[in-house]
Amino acid sequence: MTQPIVSLSDLSFAWPGQPPVLDVKAFELNRGERLFLRGPSGSGKSTLLGLIAGVLEANSGAVHVLDQDLTELSGGQRDRVRADHLGVIFQMFNLVPYLSVVQNVVLPCRFSKRRLGEVQAAGGAEAEAKRLLARLGLSDEGLLSRNVTELSVGQQQRVAAARALIGNPALIIADEPTSALDADSRDRFIQLLSDEAQKTDAALLFVSHDGALAPLFDRAIDLAEINHAASIMEQA
Amino acid sequence: MGVSIFGLAWRSLMNRKVSAFLTIFAIALSVALFLGVEKARNAAKDGFDNTISGTELIVGAPSGQINLLLYSVFRLGNATAEISWPTYEAIAARNDVAWAVPISLGDNHRGYRVLGTTQSYFEHYKYGQRQSLAFAEGEMFDDLFDAVIGSEVAKQLGYEVETPLIITHGLGAGGLTDHDNRPFRVVGVLRPTGTPVDQTIHVSLEAITAIHVGWETGARNPLADNIPEETIRGFNLTPRTVTAVFIGLKNRATVLRTRRDLNTNMTEPLLAIIPGQALAELWQVMSTAERVLLAVSAFVIAVGLVSILTSILTSLNERRREMSILRATGARPSHIMTLLIAEAAVLGFMGAVLGAILIQIIFAVAAPILSAQYGVALMGTGPGLVDAYTIGAVTLAALFLGIWPAITALRRSLADGLTVKV
Ligand SMILES: Nc1ncnc2c1ncn2[C@@H]1O[C@H](COP(=O)(O)OP(=O)(O)O)[C@@H](O)[C@H]1O
Ligand SMILES: [Mg+2]
């Protein structure tokens, strides 16, 4: 329990042909913790999330997620860690356009046996998807049967949150999921997301350029505090 | 559980209906063309080989063996010369000849060839697996101006027993050259055979002589019109020449010797051919063209398959986000590959199946027209193994082609990381 869920040490990453964008000596996220990570646009927040999600590979250093060093795993093994234990929410366009709302939400269960097992224990994937959607304020049948591209941005983001939460992942990473929302629905969205995360003991790593959101979380840090990459200094 | 990878592929295609449909349609057309060529050539060859059987030799004036076959059996083209009646009698009287049926060609009725022959024609002419001609209605010609018509003649012209008909001199259209002073009467309608017999009007040899009384110069002599029928019936109507003779032998083993004899030892120069051999030679000539056609249609399928690549590759740009969503929700590279390969395979499969259906529809529509126009009955063009193989091959080829966009999509999604720049 004392082990952090994410721990980075001496991590460095550069996009091909570019100067390093990330150089992180140490960073930790505890289990169940809801952390706000602030940084201006282009500072490397999404890149950092990509590394934690195991989609990108660090040039050097260690990326521990759930006691495993992703840098020592193969691409397939990293994919499995992500499929089993991570929920991801993007800034926008989170949904697969040709799937229904419920089909979008249950998508992770298709790629992870662990999550499929969890939802089956909880009464089936569809029932669980509907339960999560209802908790996030999307219970109207007419709304659920609508084409996902016809939903408002706020509704789409809540569907994405339900998808990230399904099957009780240990870590939710959210990449500026509220930047397209107005202030009201933004705060409500964060409240719902962080409540649901807390209920399942999932840690939440929420990044945004908007420092005003910081009070809504357990802890808030600036990417600049942990990132020492020179190229970012120049930009700032 | 939600949607399987194939379900995803299907829904993704349905999400791009227009593009998917156009691709499927392109493949369907190419597959239909290929199957059409393949089926038509097999059917043509079968129909071809079945045109005449049981006749050991065909004898005509010297020309080429294909030429003789074409005009005597297929009613195509014209004899350049005829053979004399005494020569026919000499052939018929030979010891090794079991039967000899003379035929006389040269006139037509509304585009259908008129064939003068004897009653023995109906006994000895065989087609397919030695099937005899059979009457759907009526009987053989007996009187001088009786005519027996093939099934297509009856069907296309709406003729039946007792219908009167006028024969036109030569092969041109009617009018001035009609033998309108000597009307015929249909006495028999033959059953369909799928051979040129269906397009033929059969009359007696004497009738051919009779209608040409007054045409000795090659053009109509108006004075001859006044000769009453009674007088003509009183003439000796034995023809002076015939166009060709169909021969059956007493012993098939002597066919080569008899042929050599006919070709060399008669008082008049003759050409005797073995129908099977001539058919094979004719088919050889046609099969080059037919193979070229098949190769071209195979290339058209390749073009159709390329349209799968185009359609999927161009879709990939707008689908970068979709790929990164799938990756973020746990899809492994193998899932992305499977998705795109499945899309290609589904396009190929649906296109090929649609193509196979399309060609059946086309044949159903075209068969009556072909049989009416050319006397070819396309048999065995129904769904068969060749369709199954073609659908399988096209699907497999599409599947392999799908590897290309699959790898492209995978590379991109790896390079994009978690988020795609808008
Ligand atoms: N797929 C990519 N390929 C190349 N460079 C990238 C890619 N994604 C981001 N970058 C670069 O990395 C830097 C950090 O980008 P990003 O992590 O998206 O920042 P943020 O999310 O904080 O706005 C930027 O300079 C950006 O241009
Ligand atoms: Mg970003």
Short mmCIF file of all heavy atoms in Angstrom, two decimals, chain B residues 288-337:
data_model
loop_
_atom_site.label_atom_id
_atom_site.label_comp_id
_atom_site.label_asym_id
_atom_site.label_seq_id
_atom_site.Cartn_x
_atom_site.Cartn_y
_atom_site.Cartn_z
N THR B 288 -6.93 -18.44 -78.38
CA THR B 288 -5.90 -17.41 -78.15
C THR B 288 -6.58 -16.12 -77.72
O THR B 288 -6.25 -15.53 -76.69
CB THR B 288 -5.10 -17.15 -79.44
OG1 THR B 288 -4.87 -18.39 -80.07
CG2 THR B 288 -3.80 -16.46 -79.14
N ALA B 289 -7.57 -15.73 -78.48
CA ALA B 289 -8.32 -14.52 -78.16
C ALA B 289 -8.96 -14.65 -76.79
O ALA B 289 -8.94 -13.73 -75.97
CB ALA B 289 -9.39 -14.28 -79.21
N GLU B 290 -9.47 -15.85 -76.53
CA GLU B 290 -10.21 -16.06 -75.30
C GLU B 290 -9.26 -16.02 -74.09
O GLU B 290 -9.61 -15.51 -73.03
CB GLU B 290 -10.95 -17.38 -75.45
CG GLU B 290 -11.24 -18.15 -74.22
CD GLU B 290 -10.63 -19.52 -74.32
OE1 GLU B 290 -10.48 -20.05 -75.45
OE2 GLU B 290 -10.27 -20.06 -73.28
N ARG B 291 -8.02 -16.50 -74.30
CA ARG B 291 -7.05 -16.43 -73.20
C ARG B 291 -6.61 -15.00 -72.93
O ARG B 291 -6.41 -14.60 -71.79
CB ARG B 291 -5.84 -17.32 -73.50
CG ARG B 291 -6.02 -18.68 -72.87
CD ARG B 291 -4.76 -19.51 -72.99
NE ARG B 291 -5.10 -20.75 -73.66
CZ ARG B 291 -4.50 -21.21 -74.74
NH1 ARG B 291 -3.51 -20.55 -75.29
NH2 ARG B 291 -4.89 -22.33 -75.28
N VAL B 292 -6.45 -14.23 -74.00
CA VAL B 292 -6.11 -12.82 -73.84
C VAL B 292 -7.20 -12.12 -73.03
O VAL B 292 -6.94 -11.37 -72.09
CB VAL B 292 -5.92 -12.13 -75.21
CG1 VAL B 292 -5.82 -10.62 -75.04
CG2 VAL B 292 -4.68 -12.67 -75.90
N LEU B 293 -8.43 -12.43 -73.38
CA LEU B 293 -9.58 -11.83 -72.70
C LEU B 293 -9.57 -12.18 -71.21
O LEU B 293 -9.81 -11.33 -70.34
CB LEU B 293 -10.86 -12.34 -73.34
CG LEU B 293 -12.09 -11.46 -73.22
CD1 LEU B 293 -11.81 -10.09 -73.80
CD2 LEU B 293 -13.27 -12.11 -73.92
N LEU B 294 -9.25 -13.43 -70.92
CA LEU B 294 -9.22 -13.88 -69.53
C LEU B 294 -8.12 -13.15 -68.77
O LEU B 294 -8.31 -12.72 -67.63
CB LEU B 294 -9.01 -15.39 -69.48
CG LEU B 294 -9.32 -16.04 -68.14
CD1 LEU B 294 -10.79 -15.94 -67.83
CD2 LEU B 294 -8.87 -17.49 -68.13
N ALA B 295 -6.96 -13.00 -69.42
CA ALA B 295 -5.85 -12.32 -68.77
C ALA B 295 -6.22 -10.86 -68.49
O ALA B 295 -5.98 -10.34 -67.41
CB ALA B 295 -4.60 -12.39 -69.65
N VAL B 296 -6.85 -10.23 -69.47
CA VAL B 296 -7.26 -8.84 -69.29
C VAL B 296 -8.23 -8.73 -68.12
O VAL B 296 -8.09 -7.86 -67.25
CB VAL B 296 -7.92 -8.28 -70.58
CG1 VAL B 296 -8.58 -6.94 -70.31
CG2 VAL B 296 -6.89 -8.15 -71.68
N SER B 297 -9.18 -9.66 -68.04
CA SER B 297 -10.16 -9.56 -66.97
C SER B 297 -9.52 -9.83 -65.61
O SER B 297 -9.96 -9.30 -64.60
CB SER B 297 -11.36 -10.47 -67.23
OG SER B 297 -10.95 -11.81 -67.27
N ALA B 298 -8.47 -10.67 -65.60
CA ALA B 298 -7.76 -10.88 -64.33
C ALA B 298 -7.07 -9.58 -63.90
O ALA B 298 -7.05 -9.24 -62.72
CB ALA B 298 -6.73 -12.00 -64.49
N PHE B 299 -6.54 -8.84 -64.88
CA PHE B 299 -5.92 -7.55 -64.55
C PHE B 299 -6.95 -6.57 -64.01
O PHE B 299 -6.66 -5.79 -63.12
CB PHE B 299 -5.23 -6.95 -65.78
CG PHE B 299 -3.82 -7.43 -65.94
CD1 PHE B 299 -3.46 -8.26 -66.98
CD2 PHE B 299 -2.85 -7.05 -65.01
CE1 PHE B 299 -2.17 -8.72 -67.11
CE2 PHE B 299 -1.55 -7.51 -65.14
CZ PHE B 299 -1.21 -8.35 -66.19
N VAL B 300 -8.15 -6.65 -64.56
CA VAL B 300 -9.20 -5.75 -64.08
C VAL B 300 -9.50 -6.05 -62.60
O VAL B 300 -9.75 -5.15 -61.81
CB VAL B 300 -10.46 -5.86 -64.96
CG1 VAL B 300 -11.58 -5.00 -64.38
CG2 VAL B 300 -10.15 -5.42 -66.37
N ILE B 301 -9.43 -7.32 -62.23
CA ILE B 301 -9.62 -7.65 -60.81
C ILE B 301 -8.52 -7.00 -59.98
O ILE B 301 -8.77 -6.47 -58.90
CB ILE B 301 -9.61 -9.18 -60.59
CG1 ILE B 301 -10.89 -9.79 -61.16
CG2 ILE B 301 -9.50 -9.49 -59.10
CD1 ILE B 301 -11.20 -11.17 -60.64
N ALA B 302 -7.29 -7.06 -60.51
CA ALA B 302 -6.19 -6.43 -59.78
C ALA B 302 -6.48 -4.94 -59.57
O ALA B 302 -6.25 -4.41 -58.48
CB ALA B 302 -4.88 -6.62 -60.55
N VAL B 303 -7.02 -4.30 -60.59
CA VAL B 303 -7.38 -2.88 -60.46
C VAL B 303 -8.43 -2.71 -59.36
O VAL B 303 -8.34 -1.82 -58.52
CB VAL B 303 -7.90 -2.31 -61.80
CG1 VAL B 303 -8.39 -0.88 -61.62
CG2 VAL B 303 -6.81 -2.36 -62.85
N GLY B 304 -9.40 -3.61 -59.36
CA GLY B 304 -10.43 -3.57 -58.33
C GLY B 304 -9.84 -3.70 -56.94
O GLY B 304 -10.21 -2.98 -56.01
N LEU B 305 -8.86 -4.60 -56.82
CA LEU B 305 -8.23 -4.80 -55.51
C LEU B 305 -7.47 -3.55 -55.08
O LEU B 305 -7.44 -3.20 -53.90
CB LEU B 305 -7.30 -6.01 -55.56
CG LEU B 305 -8.02 -7.37 -55.57
CD1 LEU B 305 -7.06 -8.49 -55.89
CD2 LEU B 305 -8.68 -7.62 -54.23
N VAL B 306 -6.84 -2.90 -56.05
CA VAL B 306 -6.11 -1.68 -55.71
C VAL B 306 -7.07 -0.63 -55.14
O VAL B 306 -6.71 0.15 -54.26
CB VAL B 306 -5.35 -1.13 -56.94
CG1 VAL B 306 -4.83 0.27 -56.69
CG2 VAL B 306 -4.19 -2.05 -57.29
N SER B 307 -8.32 -0.66 -55.61
CA SER B 307 -9.27 0.32 -55.09
C SER B 307 -9.55 0.09 -53.61
O SER B 307 -9.92 1.01 -52.89
CB SER B 307 -10.56 0.30 -55.91
OG SER B 307 -11.34 -0.82 -55.55
N ILE B 308 -9.36 -1.14 -53.15
CA ILE B 308 -9.48 -1.40 -51.69
C ILE B 308 -8.38 -0.64 -50.97
O ILE B 308 -8.61 0.04 -49.97
CB ILE B 308 -9.33 -2.91 -51.40
CG1 ILE B 308 -10.49 -3.69 -51.97
CG2 ILE B 308 -9.24 -3.14 -49.88
CD1 ILE B 308 -10.49 -5.16 -51.58
N LEU B 309 -7.16 -0.78 -51.51
CA LEU B 309 -6.02 -0.10 -50.90
C LEU B 309 -6.26 1.40 -50.85
O LEU B 309 -6.10 2.04 -49.81
CB LEU B 309 -4.76 -0.36 -51.72
CG LEU B 309 -3.93 -1.58 -51.36
CD1 LEU B 309 -2.64 -1.56 -52.14
CD2 LEU B 309 -3.63 -1.58 -49.87
N THR B 310 -6.67 1.95 -51.99
CA THR B 310 -6.90 3.39 -52.06
C THR B 310 -7.91 3.80 -51.01
O THR B 310 -7.68 4.75 -50.26
CB THR B 310 -7.48 3.75 -53.45
OG1 THR B 310 -6.77 3.01 -54.43
CG2 THR B 310 -7.36 5.23 -53.71
N SER B 311 -9.01 3.06 -50.96
CA SER B 311 -10.08 3.45 -50.05
C SER B 311 -9.62 3.40 -48.60
O SER B 311 -9.90 4.31 -47.82
CB SER B 311 -11.29 2.55 -50.30
OG SER B 311 -11.89 2.16 -49.10
N ILE B 312 -8.90 2.36 -48.22
CA ILE B 312 -8.50 2.25 -46.81
C ILE B 312 -7.36 3.22 -46.49
O ILE B 312 -7.38 3.90 -45.46
CB ILE B 312 -8.10 0.81 -46.46
CG1 ILE B 312 -9.33 -0.10 -46.61
CG2 ILE B 312 -7.58 0.73 -45.03
CD1 ILE B 312 -9.11 -1.52 -46.20
N LEU B 313 -6.39 3.30 -47.41
CA LEU B 313 -5.25 4.19 -47.14
C LEU B 313 -5.70 5.65 -47.00
O LEU B 313 -5.24 6.37 -46.12
CB LEU B 313 -4.20 4.07 -48.24
CG LEU B 313 -3.27 2.85 -48.13
CD1 LEU B 313 -2.40 2.73 -49.37
CD2 LEU B 313 -2.41 2.92 -46.87
N THR B 314 -6.63 6.07 -47.88
CA THR B 314 -7.07 7.47 -47.78
C THR B 314 -7.90 7.70 -46.52
O THR B 314 -7.98 8.81 -46.03
CB THR B 314 -7.89 7.91 -49.00
OG1 THR B 314 -8.95 6.97 -49.18
CG2 THR B 314 -7.07 7.99 -50.24
N SER B 315 -8.51 6.64 -46.00
CA SER B 315 -9.32 6.82 -44.79
C SER B 315 -8.43 6.96 -43.55
O SER B 315 -8.87 7.46 -42.53
CB SER B 315 -10.27 5.64 -44.61
OG SER B 315 -9.59 4.52 -44.06
N LEU B 316 -7.19 6.50 -43.67
CA LEU B 316 -6.36 6.42 -42.46
C LEU B 316 -6.09 7.80 -41.85
O LEU B 316 -6.03 7.94 -40.63
CB LEU B 316 -5.02 5.74 -42.77
CG LEU B 316 -5.11 4.23 -42.96
CD1 LEU B 316 -3.74 3.63 -43.11
CD2 LEU B 316 -5.85 3.57 -41.81
N ASN B 317 -5.93 8.81 -42.69
CA ASN B 317 -5.64 10.14 -42.17
C ASN B 317 -6.71 10.61 -41.19
O ASN B 317 -6.41 11.06 -40.10
CB ASN B 317 -5.53 11.13 -43.33
CG ASN B 317 -4.10 11.59 -43.49
OD1 ASN B 317 -3.29 11.42 -42.57
ND2 ASN B 317 -3.79 12.15 -44.64
N GLU B 318 -7.97 10.48 -41.64
CA GLU B 318 -9.04 10.96 -40.77
C GLU B 318 -9.32 10.00 -39.62
O GLU B 318 -10.14 10.27 -38.78
CB GLU B 318 -10.31 11.19 -41.60
CG GLU B 318 -10.84 9.94 -42.25
CD GLU B 318 -11.78 10.23 -43.42
OE1 GLU B 318 -11.36 10.93 -44.36
OE2 GLU B 318 -12.91 9.75 -43.36
N ARG B 319 -8.63 8.87 -39.63
CA ARG B 319 -8.88 7.88 -38.58
C ARG B 319 -7.75 7.79 -37.57
O ARG B 319 -7.70 6.86 -36.77
CB ARG B 319 -9.13 6.51 -39.22
CG ARG B 319 -10.38 6.48 -40.07
CD ARG B 319 -10.51 5.20 -40.81
NE ARG B 319 -10.80 4.08 -39.93
CZ ARG B 319 -10.73 2.81 -40.29
NH1 ARG B 319 -10.36 2.51 -41.51
NH2 ARG B 319 -11.02 1.86 -39.45
N ARG B 320 -6.81 8.74 -37.61
CA ARG B 320 -5.69 8.69 -36.66
C ARG B 320 -6.20 8.71 -35.24
O ARG B 320 -5.70 8.01 -34.37
CB ARG B 320 -4.75 9.87 -36.90
CG ARG B 320 -3.90 9.70 -38.12
CD ARG B 320 -3.15 10.96 -38.38
NE ARG B 320 -1.84 10.91 -37.74
CZ ARG B 320 -0.74 11.30 -38.37
NH1 ARG B 320 -0.80 11.71 -39.60
NH2 ARG B 320 0.42 11.26 -37.75
N ARG B 321 -7.21 9.57 -35.02
CA ARG B 321 -7.77 9.70 -33.69
C ARG B 321 -8.41 8.38 -33.23
O ARG B 321 -8.22 7.94 -32.11
CB ARG B 321 -8.84 10.77 -33.71
CG ARG B 321 -8.73 11.69 -32.58
CD ARG B 321 -9.54 12.93 -32.85
NE ARG B 321 -8.69 14.09 -32.78
CZ ARG B 321 -8.12 14.49 -31.66
NH1 ARG B 321 -8.26 13.81 -30.55
NH2 ARG B 321 -7.36 15.57 -31.65
N GLU B 322 -9.16 7.80 -34.16
CA GLU B 322 -9.82 6.52 -33.87
C GLU B 322 -8.78 5.49 -33.44
O GLU B 322 -8.97 4.76 -32.46
CB GLU B 322 -10.55 6.08 -35.14
CG GLU B 322 -11.22 4.73 -35.08
CD GLU B 322 -11.66 4.30 -36.48
OE1 GLU B 322 -11.97 5.18 -37.31
OE2 GLU B 322 -11.69 3.09 -36.74
N MET B 323 -7.66 5.47 -34.15
CA MET B 323 -6.61 4.51 -33.81
C MET B 323 -6.04 4.81 -32.43
O MET B 323 -5.79 3.90 -31.64
CB MET B 323 -5.47 4.54 -34.85
CG MET B 323 -5.89 4.14 -36.24
SD MET B 323 -6.63 2.49 -36.28
CE MET B 323 -7.76 2.68 -37.64
N SER B 324 -5.84 6.10 -32.14
CA SER B 324 -5.24 6.40 -30.84
C SER B 324 -6.24 6.15 -29.71
O SER B 324 -5.85 5.77 -28.61
CB SER B 324 -4.68 7.83 -30.81
OG SER B 324 -5.71 8.75 -30.59
N ILE B 325 -7.54 6.31 -30.00
CA ILE B 325 -8.55 5.96 -28.98
C ILE B 325 -8.48 4.46 -28.71
O ILE B 325 -8.45 4.01 -27.56
CB ILE B 325 -9.98 6.33 -29.45
CG1 ILE B 325 -10.13 7.85 -29.56
CG2 ILE B 325 -11.01 5.76 -28.48
CD1 ILE B 325 -11.39 8.28 -30.30
N LEU B 326 -8.42 3.69 -29.80
CA LEU B 326 -8.38 2.24 -29.63
C LEU B 326 -7.13 1.83 -28.85
O LEU B 326 -7.18 1.00 -27.94
CB LEU B 326 -8.42 1.54 -30.98
CG LEU B 326 -9.76 1.64 -31.72
CD1 LEU B 326 -9.66 1.07 -33.13
CD2 LEU B 326 -10.86 0.92 -30.94
N ARG B 327 -6.00 2.44 -29.22
CA ARG B 327 -4.75 2.12 -28.51
C ARG B 327 -4.89 2.49 -27.04
O ARG B 327 -4.50 1.72 -26.15
CB ARG B 327 -3.59 2.89 -29.13
CG ARG B 327 -3.22 2.44 -30.52
CD ARG B 327 -2.32 1.22 -30.52
NE ARG B 327 -0.98 1.50 -30.04
CZ ARG B 327 -0.25 0.64 -29.34
NH1 ARG B 327 -0.77 -0.51 -28.98
NH2 ARG B 327 0.97 0.94 -28.96
N ALA B 328 -5.44 3.67 -26.76
CA ALA B 328 -5.54 4.13 -25.37
C ALA B 328 -6.45 3.22 -24.56
O ALA B 328 -6.24 3.02 -23.37
CB ALA B 328 -6.07 5.56 -25.34
N THR B 329 -7.48 2.66 -25.20
CA THR B 329 -8.38 1.80 -24.43
C THR B 329 -7.85 0.37 -24.35
O THR B 329 -8.54 -0.51 -23.86
CB THR B 329 -9.79 1.77 -25.05
OG1 THR B 329 -9.67 1.41 -26.43
CG2 THR B 329 -10.48 3.10 -24.91
N GLY B 330 -6.63 0.16 -24.84
CA GLY B 330 -5.99 -1.14 -24.61
C GLY B 330 -5.78 -1.98 -25.84
O GLY B 330 -5.29 -3.11 -25.74
N ALA B 331 -6.16 -1.47 -27.02
CA ALA B 331 -5.95 -2.26 -28.24
C ALA B 331 -4.46 -2.44 -28.48
O ALA B 331 -3.69 -1.49 -28.39
CB ALA B 331 -6.60 -1.57 -29.42
N ARG B 332 -4.07 -3.67 -28.74
CA ARG B 332 -2.67 -3.95 -29.05
C ARG B 332 -2.46 -3.79 -30.55
O ARG B 332 -3.43 -3.78 -31.31
CB ARG B 332 -2.32 -5.36 -28.60
CG ARG B 332 -2.26 -5.48 -27.09
CD ARG B 332 -1.81 -6.86 -26.65
NE ARG B 332 -2.86 -7.86 -26.76
CZ ARG B 332 -3.89 -7.95 -25.93
NH1 ARG B 332 -4.01 -7.10 -24.92
NH2 ARG B 332 -4.79 -8.89 -26.09
N PRO B 333 -1.19 -3.71 -30.98
CA PRO B 333 -0.94 -3.60 -32.42
C PRO B 333 -1.67 -4.67 -33.22
O PRO B 333 -2.18 -4.40 -34.31
CB PRO B 333 0.58 -3.77 -32.51
CG PRO B 333 1.08 -3.24 -31.22
CD PRO B 333 0.04 -3.60 -30.20
N SER B 334 -1.74 -5.88 -32.66
CA SER B 334 -2.40 -6.95 -33.41
C SER B 334 -3.89 -6.63 -33.63
O SER B 334 -4.46 -7.01 -34.65
CB SER B 334 -2.25 -8.28 -32.67
OG SER B 334 -2.90 -8.20 -31.42
N HIS B 335 -4.49 -5.93 -32.66
CA HIS B 335 -5.89 -5.55 -32.85
C HIS B 335 -6.07 -4.56 -33.99
O HIS B 335 -6.97 -4.67 -34.81
CB HIS B 335 -6.47 -4.94 -31.56
CG HIS B 335 -6.63 -5.93 -30.45
ND1 HIS B 335 -6.02 -5.76 -29.21
CD2 HIS B 335 -7.29 -7.11 -30.38
CE1 HIS B 335 -6.32 -6.79 -28.44
NE2 HIS B 335 -7.09 -7.63 -29.13
N ILE B 336 -5.16 -3.56 -33.99
CA ILE B 336 -5.23 -2.55 -35.06
C ILE B 336 -5.02 -3.21 -36.42
O ILE B 336 -5.75 -2.95 -37.38
CB ILE B 336 -4.14 -1.46 -34.84
CG1 ILE B 336 -4.28 -0.83 -33.45
CG2 ILE B 336 -4.16 -0.43 -35.95
CD1 ILE B 336 -5.41 0.14 -33.33
N MET B 337 -4.01 -4.10 -36.48
CA MET B 337 -3.74 -4.82 -37.74
C MET B 337 -4.97 -5.62 -38.16
O MET B 337 -5.40 -5.56 -39.30
CB MET B 337 -2.57 -5.80 -37.56
CG MET B 337 -1.23 -5.18 -37.26
SD MET B 337 -0.30 -4.75 -38.74
CE MET B 337 0.10 -6.34 -39.43
#
